[in-house]
Amino acid sequence: MDTEQRLQKVEELKQGLKSRQAMFTYVKSQSEAAVKASFIVAKEVAKSARPFTEGEFIKNCMLEVCDAVCPDKRQLFSNMSLSRNTVDECVDQLSTNIKEQLVRKGKDLIAYSLAVDESTDTFDIAQLSIFVRGVDSSLSITEEFLALRPMHGTTTGQDLYEEVSRCVNEMGLPWEKLVGLTTDGAPTMCGHRSGLVARMRERMWEENVTDELTAYHCIIHQESLCGKALKMEHVMSTIMRAVNIIRAKGFNHCQFKAFLGELDTEYGELPYHTEVLSQGKVLQRCFELREEICLFMESKGKDTTELRDETFLCEMAFLCDIASHLNVMNLQLQGLGRVISDMYSIQ
């Protein structure tokens, strides 16, 4: 074999090697894209609080769409693994990664504050929510949900302090950088001797922190308390009696919906008032359907004297406007990146 043939053979071998390398690179890129897509879907499933078994359903939908839009790409979508266990593992890895990022950011904070709220879930288990907001030397703000801790036993100020303290230590947040603590104003939170705020101040003194811990009362909670101070329970109780007459029995409810359909009203339903459903929206709906409600109740032989009273209607309209205003303000107070001066200006 002469020199020219040897060079040609070497060139052919090089081309073959490059071809095989390109094939492996393509397969690797496809595999990485499938894994990335699995994480994206898992993130959306977790954000929407859907069951992890929804991953398989989403994959089947994507394959059906792929068959209709781009059949040649079906294999790419088939490579995604979205089984329940896979989604569970992806969410767990995302959670771990977020925690690691937050720990790294926490070391760079020059000051931070905590917001703590305790509420009860549907299983009557107290859940302690902890949020952190801090700023680093470049004035970059970090605002994140820190932890959700179940309180299976008592919920005294000492119990709350132990959970908050454990969370602060686990996240590596320096006690000397803690400058503020926001609570809902409950005695277990703000008690002068045994409340959470008092316990946190004691801990800071033990850590030789000279700066004073400033305690805040949640603005949204204050707004909620103001709404309960209107002293117009008699209006709401009268409205709820009327709503219960219509909604408590399925037959009455069906008749009322049919009645609204016959009158061709703007709304075809009358909602229940719950702690979840906004009181302002219920009041607004009842006020707009006040005449239809009275007509329906009269057809059932119910007394509607109070509902037709002008004084009562004025009070109902006033309460409706106030509740709607408070609902709008509540939404404006929520969300990331809110500055306390802006939140007070909203009020």
Side-chain angles (χ1 to χ4, degrees):
M1 183 179 295
D2 57 16
T3 304
E4 184 177 351
Q5 290 176 332
R6 290 177 181 177
L7 292 175
Q8 184 178 359
K9 186 63 175 179
V10 169
E11 191 65 28
E12 291 176 357
L13 292 174
K14 285 183 178 180
Q15 292 297 329
L17 178 62
K18 290 181 180 180
S19 177
R20 286 191 292 271
Q21 288 177 338
M23 180 186 67
F24 285 118
T25 302
Y26 177 72
V27 173
K28 181 181 178 181
S29 63
Q30 280 189 329
S31 178
E32 291 177 348
V35 172
K36 182 178 179 180
S38 298
F39 274 96
I40 293 174
V41 174
K43 176 185 174 183
E44 295 302 320
V45 169
K47 285 174 62 177
S48 60
R50 298 275 184 178
F52 291 166
T53 52
E54 293 284 339
E56 288 288 354
F57 172 73
I58 294 174
K59 180 178 179 179
N60 292 334
C61 293
M62 295 173 67
L63 290 175
E64 293 292 336
V65 173
C66 181
D67 290 338
V69 178
C70 49
D72 56 313
K73 301 293 184 180
R74 179 182 175 83
Q75 186 60 41
L76 295 176
F77 291 92
S78 299
N79 291 338
M80 288 191 304
S81 178
L82 292 175
S83 64
R84 180 187 181 281
N85 291 336
T86 301
V87 174
D88 184 16
E89 185 178 352
C90 288
V91 172
D92 185 61
Q93 292 184 29
L94 288 171
S95 175
T96 303
N97 181 263
I98 291 174
K99 182 177 179 180
E100 292 174 350
Q101 292 184 51
L102 192 56
V103 170
R104 289 196 298 269
K105 288 183 178 180
K107 296 178 181 179
D108 298 329
L109 298 179
I110 60 175
Y112 71 93
S113 61
L114 299 175
V116 181
D117 180 61
E118 183 261 318
S119 58
T120 304
D121 61 17
T122 56
F123 297 98
D124 293 327
I125 298 176
Q127 300 287 345
L128 185 66
S129 305
I130 307 173
F131 298 82
V132 63
R133 187 176 192 182
V135 61
D136 58 19
S137 56
S138 62
L139 299 182
S140 177
I141 297 176
T142 298
E143 185 174 358
E144 292 290 345
F145 176 64
L146 204 59
L148 180 67
R149 300 297 177 89
M151 309 285 290
H152 294 285
T154 58
T155 56
T156 62
Q158 180 64 27
D159 298 323
L160 299 177
Y161 161 73
E162 290 176 357
E163 289 296 334
V164 174
S165 177
R166 187 179 298 111
C167 181
V168 170
N169 292 332
E170 288 178 358
M171 300 304 295
L173 297 173
W175 285 92
E176 64 272 13
K177 303 295 178 61
L178 178 61
V179 296
L181 179 62
T182 302
T183 67
D184 58 6
T188 55
M189 296 283 188
C190 300
H192 293 293
R193 295 184 178 180
S194 58
L196 173 63
V197 175
R199 300 285 186 184
M200 294 290 284
R201 284 172 174 164
E202 289 179 5
R203 176 60 183 271
M204 294 182 69
W205 292 334
E206 294 174 0
E207 297 287 338
N208 297 321
V209 180
T210 57
D211 295 334
E212 178 69 17
L213 176 65
T214 305
Y216 300 96
H217 189 179
C218 175
I219 297 177
I220 296 179
H221 188 261
Q222 291 183 49
E223 175 263 324
S224 178
L225 293 176
C226 291
K228 295 179 180 179
L230 293 175
K231 303 298 182 183
M232 300 190 73
E233 291 84 358
H234 63 288
V235 176
M236 199 64 198
S237 61
T238 301
I239 294 173
M240 290 315 302
R241 281 198 300 270
V243 172
N244 287 334
I245 291 174
I246 297 172
R247 290 296 304 264
K249 295 183 179 180
F251 182 67
N252 286 351
H253 185 204
C254 291
Q255 282 189 322
F256 183 71
K257 291 172 66 176
F259 178 65
L260 294 179
E262 292 174 0
L263 296 178
D264 195 23
T265 58
E266 181 179 357
Y267 302 104
E269 180 61 287
L270 185 64
Y272 262 132
H273 165 59
T274 64
E275 292 298 326
V276 178
L277 187 60
S278 168
Q279 176 177 311
K281 293 181 179 179
V282 176
L283 284 168
Q284 182 73 28
R285 184 69 61 84
C286 290
F287 185 77
E288 293 175 349
L289 293 175
R290 60 189 182 280
E291 185 62 29
E292 289 80 3
I293 292 174
C294 289
L295 291 174
F296 182 79
M297 291 180 62
E298 289 169 354
S299 69
K300 294 294 182 180
K302 304 296 183 180
D303 182 26
T304 60
T305 304
E306 187 174 9
L307 290 173
R308 293 187 178 277
D309 182 71
E310 291 187 4
T311 302
F312 175 83
L313 290 176
C314 291
E315 292 178 340
M316 181 180 176
F318 173 75
L319 183 60
C320 181
D321 290 342
I322 291 296
S324 298
H325 171 71
L326 292 177
N327 289 337
V328 173
M329 185 171 65
N330 188 299
L331 293 175
Q332 292 176 341
L333 291 172
Q334 298 178 30
L336 295 173
R338 296 292 184 182
V339 181
I340 192 169
S341 58
D342 296 333
M343 296 176 76
Y344 272 107
S345 67
I346 292 174
Q347 301 186 81

